Amino acid sequence: MSKRSRIIKEGLERVPHRALLYATGIPKSEMNKPFIGIATSFTDIIPGHVGMRDLERFIEKGIHTGGGYPFFFGIPGICDGIAMGHRGMHYSLPSRELIADMVETIAEAHQLDGLVLLTNCDKITPGMLMAAARLNIPSIVVTAGPMLSGHYMGRRLNLTSDTFEAVGKYKKGLIRDNELQALEMCACPGAGSCQGMYTANTMACVTESIGMSLPGCATSPAVLAQKKRIAFESGVKIVELIKKNITPRKIMTDKAFRNAIMVDLALGGSTNTVLHIPAIAHEAKVRLSLDVFDELSRKTPHIANMIPSGQHYMEDLDYAGGIPAVLKRLKDMLYQNPTVSGKNILDIAEQADIMDENVIRPLNKAYHKEGGIAILKGNLAPDGAVVKQTAVNKNMMKFEGVAVVFDSEEDAMKAILSSSIKAGDIVVIRYEGPKGGPGMREMLSPTSAIAGMGLSESVALITDGRFSGGTRGPCIGHVSPEAMEGGPIAILKNGDRIRIDIPKRKIDVLLSDEEIKKRLSQWKQPMPKIRHGYLARYAKLVSSAGRGAVMY
């Protein structure tokens, strides 16, 4: 029996504890087995989570087979797509901290010996990993898997291109009512996380690359039997991890985070990993700065051209060999590190097969010489800003334009849909950072509207908020310090000229140092947008985007 659960099971003084445990129906013969919590984020409002009931059963079967005793407990989830573009998105990033706190609370209150973390979507996966790193008890992650592509009139569909961007296309008269309605019904055909390398699937790939889920877990589609087998094997494996006392911090090392960042860069993953990976590292007691992303991006080629900026879907990546095949491509760059499977990450890479060289290209035939993410700095973002450079047209890698400034996403969206934005403009959306939002909302609605209206190669967008993994084009987020902290983005005015140079990693407003200092001296912090409830407390405690937006 594990030392942890003995605290609630052994000794004369634990008679009432045992009585309560027996009240749950646990047989006496099972009492000496490891107590394993299954943190399930099942909900029937998130497509990525509606299929979890089946996976719960297979995890439970696996734990029993391995010699443990499982207990389910619920963890909330938010669908970023449904929360997008309104008040609900304020809660998405802050929910990450709630999830980590809730897993910690249940595991500590009941002294669980280990955890299986059943997750899938954007903030739930990093929240679960943060909890695992913080608790440092044996844990394994099961990501529920991506959605299959949609189909309509002989073409494949995905959420971003065929719904969010359809709004701008419809507004411009490029599609009609019947097609818009068909896209609504066909773009998302069933259970699973959205089909491309958006945040949910990027984080699943990161989780597997760090070594916290079994090989093949990240890309195996939600509806396939293979996903159930992975769930079963994860249940068996957690018992072994407990017996061997293999804890998350033995796996989530500095080397593991670097491996995961390289895989993320090779896949052209979501910019949200620049928030989540440092936050997980923080809980694992590993120091990880933004500069590491840029350092690795300069030497990691982009070898998989995934939706939204490319043409391949998650199912294509799975059929091509999944994350093990990506690791095989990168094996000469990777660090040796253990995983929950019991295999070293380099062994997984060596044993993998690459099934499709067009989906996972050789390094010498990469789509881009550098990785997906670039960190920009300059007088507009002294502490850094983030751009998915592989999603930017080569003609927009260097861009100079005129600032059109908005203090909220809603105001910017109105201007975009009213055709007030023209070629050569740089849309600036501020007071949307971790403190100012609060909650650092994703800007998928405005970026998709810009793309849908045909402006993604002539208009840039800059924000102290963040972007969905579905964003493409010259969209620069995470500007730090944010406006609410008095960062330079707070003193921009309509008509200011801004210069973006992604190859040189620069972002500057073309003002003299004296003018910037003068404006900053005159700036006054506005009243918070939200002054009550959880978000008000969150705004007081959250750190900058440059530090992972963790709470202190």
Side-chain angles (χ1 to χ4, degrees):
M1 194 197 310
S2 170
K3 291 180 180 178
R4 278 179 62 88
S5 62
R6 283 177 181 170
I7 294 171
I8 62 169
K9 292 191 285 191
E10 284 191 349
L12 176 63
E13 69 277 17
R14 300 307 185 216
V15 168
H17 301 68
R18 291 192 292 272
L20 290 166
L21 288 166
Y22 285 131
T24 69
I26 183 173
K28 199 167 186 177
S29 61
E30 305 298 291
M31 190 67 90
N32 287 331
K33 293 181 178 179
F35 278 11
I36 298 164
I38 304 172
T40 173
S41 52
F42 166 78
T43 171
D44 49 19
I45 198 170
I46 304 178
H49 294 232
V50 294
M52 285 184 175
R53 284 296 187 232
D54 278 349
L55 299 182
E56 290 172 358
R57 292 177 57 233
F58 279 86
I59 292 169
E60 185 179 28
K61 290 176 182 180
I63 290 172
H64 281 301
T65 300
Y69 194 83
F71 297 92
F72 289 97
F73 63 94
I75 294 296
I78 288 174
C79 176
D80 277 26
I82 297 172
M84 196 76 65
H86 57 86
R87 180 182 174 85
M89 182 47 69
H90 287 293
Y91 288 89
S92 176
L93 182 59
S95 75
R96 185 189 72 179
E97 317 308 307
L98 289 175
I99 289 162
D101 289 351
M102 291 180 74
V103 174
E104 174 199 353
T105 298
I106 300 301
E108 291 285 47
H110 302 105
Q111 289 298 290
L112 298 172
D113 297 313
L115 293 167
V116 180
L117 305 168
L118 179 56
T119 175
N120 211 23
C121 288
D122 294 27
K123 309 310 169 297
I124 304 142
T125 300
M128 296 268 202
L129 284 168
M130 288 166 68
R134 185 186 302 170
L135 288 161
N136 201 33
I137 63 174
S139 304
I140 191 168
V141 179
V142 179
T143 48
M147 184 187 294
L148 295 175
S149 57
H151 288 265
Y152 174 67
M153 298 293 287
R155 64 186 178 93
R156 297 166 85 187
L157 306 178
N158 72 88
L159 174 71
T160 300
S161 302
D162 298 299
T163 61
F164 277 96
E165 291 183 12
V167 173
K169 292 176 182 176
Y170 180 82
K171 193 73 178 177
K172 201 171 181 181
L174 299 177
I175 57 176
R176 297 181 178 179
D177 287 349
N178 62 335
E179 184 176 354
L180 191 69
Q181 292 167 17
L183 292 174
E184 281 185 23
M185 296 300 298
C186 300
C188 299
S193 48
C194 303
Q195 305 101 324
M197 198 55 67
Y198 310 132
T199 304
N201 289 322
T202 302
M203 283 309 303
C205 295
V206 163
T207 302
E208 186 177 329
S209 304
I210 286 176
M212 286 298 293
S213 60
L214 294 181
C217 186
T219 59
S220 179
V223 295
L224 298 191
Q226 175 64 16
K227 180 61 73 176
K228 295 175 183 177
R229 288 191 283 272
I230 290 171
F232 176 84
E233 291 163 8
S234 298
V236 174
K237 184 61 67 174
I238 187 60
V239 183
E240 181 184 326
L241 294 172
I242 292 168
K243 290 176 180 178
K244 294 181 178 179
N245 193 33
I246 298 174
T247 57
R249 291 185 201 168
K250 294 177 181 177
I251 292 167
M252 290 196 280
T253 64
D254 177 71
K255 291 177 180 178
F257 287 112
R258 286 174 175 267
N259 286 342
I261 291 169
M262 283 188 275
V263 169
D264 176 21
L265 295 166
L267 294 171
S270 166
T271 53
N272 281 314
T273 58
V274 181
L275 285 173
H276 299 322
I277 294 177
I280 299 162
H282 171 76
E283 298 289 356
K285 310 299 183 187
V286 173
R287 296 188 66 180
L288 191 69
S289 71
L290 283 183
D291 294 335
V292 173
F293 285 83
D294 208 57
E295 167 202 331
L296 295 175
S297 186
R298 291 182 183 276
K299 69 175 186 178
T300 306
H302 175 220
I303 58 174
N305 205 24
M306 305 294 295
I307 285 172
S309 54
Q311 74 269 34
H312 294 128
Y313 289 69
M314 287 300 294
E315 63 206 66
D316 301 326
L317 182 61
D318 188 60
Y319 300 146
I323 295 305
V326 177
L327 294 171
K328 191 178 189 74
R329 284 285 193 234
L330 301 175
K331 68 180 188 299
D332 291 338
M333 303 168 62
L334 299 175
Y335 299 93
Q336 185 166 302
N337 207 73
T339 74
V340 291
S341 71
K343 296 180 180 179
N344 189 285
I345 200 81
L346 294 180
D347 294 332
I348 294 171
E350 188 62 40
Q351 295 164 17
D353 292 316
I354 299 168
M355 307 293 190
D356 190 330
E357 296 215 337
N358 184 43
V359 176
I360 306 172
R361 285 191 174 183
L363 301 188
N364 62 357
K365 294 183 179 179
Y367 289 97
H368 300 91
K369 291 181 180 179
E370 294 186 355
I373 290 170
I375 307 299
L376 312 184
K377 292 187 177 181
N379 66 12
L380 188 50
D383 294 342
V386 180
V387 64
K388 187 193 282 192
Q389 61 174 341
T390 50
V392 180
N393 184 285
K394 64 180 181 180
N395 297 325
M396 294 291 287
M397 294 292 280
K398 295 182 179 181
F399 184 70
E400 185 176 316
V402 177
V404 185
V405 184
F406 303 94
D407 288 345
S408 72
E409 177 189 2
E410 289 82 0
D411 289 346
M413 193 66 180
K414 288 176 186 175
I416 294 165
L417 291 180
S418 66
S419 300
S420 298
I421 304 302
K422 60 185 184 301
D425 286 344
I426 296 182
V427 176
V428 177
I429 307 177
R430 63 190 178 192
Y431 295 105
E432 291 287 4
K435 289 181 179 294
M440 203 180 183
R441 292 191 288 177
E442 288 185 348
M443 301 291 149
L444 182 56
S445 293
T447 60
S448 296
I450 287 170
M453 297 179 80
L455 295 171
S456 61
E457 294 183 19
S458 59
V459 169
L461 193 151
I462 296 171
T463 181
D464 54 6
R466 60 193 176 90
F467 295 117
S468 160
T471 295
R472 58 190 177 96
C475 300
I476 297 162
H478 305 211
V479 170
S480 297
E482 63 173 287
M484 199 64 174
E485 293 180 315
I489 191 172
I491 52 93
L492 288 180
K493 296 179 181 179
N494 288 331
D496 286 344
R497 294 198 68 81
I498 297 171
R499 182 179 295 151
I500 300 164
D501 191 331
I502 296 173
K504 291 185 178 179
R505 306 300 202 254
K506 294 288 290 178
I507 178 168
D508 292 294
V509 57
L510 303 185
L511 297 173
S512 67
D513 292 344
E514 290 74 17
E515 177 63 18
I516 292 172
K517 288 178 182 178
K518 177 184 174 184
R519 292 191 190 182
L520 286 172
S521 69
Q522 296 170 346
W523 175 82
K524 293 182 180 180
Q525 187 181 61
M527 288 290 290
K529 293 178 182 176
I530 296 174
R531 296 189 286 277
H532 67 278
Y534 171 55
L535 291 176
R537 296 195 302 275
Y538 175 85
K540 292 177 182 178
L541 299 173
V542 70
S543 69
S544 72
R547 297 171 66 187
V550 296
M551 289 174 66
Y552 289 99

